[in-house]
Amino acid sequence: MRGALDAATRAPAKLIFFGDSADIEPLLEGTRHKAVHAPHCLEVDDSLRGALRADTDSSMHRAVRALARGDADAMVSAGSTGALVALSRHVVGMLPGIRRPAIMKSLGGADGRRFQMLDLGANIGSPPEQLHQFALMGSAATASGVGAALGERTDPARVPTVGLLNIGSEVRKGPVAVQEAARLLEADGRLSYAGYVEPHRLFDAGTDVVVADGFVGNIALKAAEGAAQMARYVLKRELGGNSLPVAVGRALLGGRLRRVRDAYNPQSYNGASLLGIAAVVVKSHGGADREGFGSAVRQAMDALETGLVERLVTGI
């Protein structure tokens, strides 16, 4: 919550918090923001059918309904991904021509350049036509300047390059669905298709957009996050001693070490857009800290500022 308030100090936004008002309202005294009492929350273990049909007093239900009514312009949630996707799809609705939503996230490459990756878990077993549509959505979102919340602006005159995540770069590599999707992307004049992206080259940021099925994309993302956590742990362990050489090294390389640490900090780029929904919906990591949740809220503000939803309609 404090992260959201931090984000709102940088923009003229009015926040609505859904949850236990007794806990929320004391933190909002003297602000323009408000609380909506929602006594229950959806649990990760709840079935999707139950999430759709029951517990309409949950914070997620009430927030999604507020978005659908137009009482809010955007929504940020750190709750169950499956419930958020299902409720957004059925209550808010899909954009015209979009069959399935996709989760897209901005990731940082080795040279500091960022790229967008989708789908990261909204769909399992996507057919070629769906991967093709993900590519169109990712390209349109990137062209709209979706990375502005991270200090970036995209050149609107340049068509973003798109790659397909695959196990190899050869034309006949990978599942049949991915090979067929490659043919669809290559034949679509609206896209700048750049071929396959191999997992070990993912963070080279060789393309502006990387497209994958939700199952594959989610595994790739979580594996990368685990590797980043390991790198941060090793860095802290090796540079955390009190010996003279280590202390001198920290003093000489303090700025560089902080940049390395921050590059492996997932909180700094927390937040993933749920593309295809007829409103701005951002999924925050459930374990986000104050900085991380603030990043997700800024992403939602950025999506409104750049007209992300309208750009998707035009792009598709």
Side-chain angles (χ1 to χ4, degrees):
M1 180 174 172
R2 294 186 184 278
L5 293 173
D6 292 342
T9 61
R10 307 180 188 181
K14 180 179 179 180
L15 302 179
I16 308 172
F17 294 92
F18 294 81
D20 190 335
S21 58
D23 294 331
I24 299 172
E25 287 177 345
L27 298 175
L28 300 183
E29 291 184 6
T31 74
R32 60 183 178 273
H33 314 300
K34 73 174 186 177
V36 173
H37 185 58
H40 305 122
C41 66
L42 294 175
E43 302 296 338
V44 175
D45 294 334
D46 291 343
S47 69
L48 292 184
R49 180 175 295 181
L52 288 171
R53 294 183 177 180
D55 201 8
T56 55
D57 286 335
S58 72
S59 55
M60 188 181 292
H61 267 93
R62 291 197 171 187
V64 170
R65 291 202 302 271
L67 184 64
R69 290 193 304 266
D71 296 339
D73 298 308
M75 175 183 172
V76 180
S77 174
S80 164
T81 300
L84 180 63
V85 171
L87 283 171
S88 299
R89 184 182 179 193
H90 291 281
V91 178
V92 180
M94 303 293 296
L95 290 174
I98 304 298
R99 294 177 56 193
R100 298 281 300 178
I103 298 173
M104 186 181 80
K105 186 178 183 68
S106 176
L107 299 171
D111 61 354
R113 179 185 173 195
R114 303 199 73 84
F115 65 97
Q116 313 299 324
M117 186 171 174
L118 75 166
D119 176 27
L120 297 177
N123 306 275
I124 303 297
S126 300
E129 296 77 14
Q130 193 63 70
L131 295 174
H132 177 208
Q133 192 164 84
F134 291 165
L136 289 169
M137 288 198 294
S139 179
T142 303
S144 75
V146 73
L150 298 160
E152 303 171 8
R153 288 290 177 182
T154 303
D155 180 1
R158 188 177 70 84
V159 178
T161 55
V162 179
L164 271 172
L165 189 63
N166 201 355
I167 60 173
S169 59
E170 298 88 346
V171 175
R172 298 183 183 276
K173 280 280 190 176
V176 174
V178 175
Q179 294 182 35
E180 179 57 31
R183 287 189 282 270
L184 293 175
L185 268 60
E186 191 168 22
D188 193 330
R190 295 170 292 180
L191 296 170
S192 177
Y193 178 58
Y196 293 142
V197 176
E198 295 186 69
H200 71 286
R201 304 298 299 273
L202 180 61
F203 290 92
D204 290 354
T207 62
D208 299 305
V209 181
V210 176
V211 176
D213 169 64
F215 180 79
V216 174
N218 191 269
I219 287 179
L221 175 65
K222 289 180 177 177
E225 289 177 343
Q229 290 175 354
M230 183 62 184
R232 284 168 60 86
Y233 167 77
V234 171
L235 185 64
K236 182 178 180 180
R237 183 190 65 193
E238 295 298 323
L239 299 176
N242 294 318
S243 66
L244 180 60
V246 171
V248 171
R250 284 199 302 263
L252 294 175
L253 301 174
R256 292 180 180 271
L257 292 174
R258 282 192 293 273
R259 287 193 291 273
V260 171
R261 179 199 62 194
D262 293 343
Y264 288 108
N265 181 12
Q267 302 295 342
S268 63
Y269 56 84
N270 177 56
S273 297
L274 188 55
L275 301 184
I277 301 297
V280 173
V281 179
V282 173
K283 174 66 176 72
S284 168
H285 196 291
D289 61 12
R290 181 172 180 170
E291 176 191 1
F293 200 80
S295 174
V297 173
R298 288 194 301 274
Q299 183 173 326
M301 295 176 180
D302 169 56
L304 292 173
E305 179 186 348
T306 58
L308 173 61
V309 173
E310 294 76 15
R311 293 291 188 110
L312 286 174
V313 173
T314 303
I316 302 299

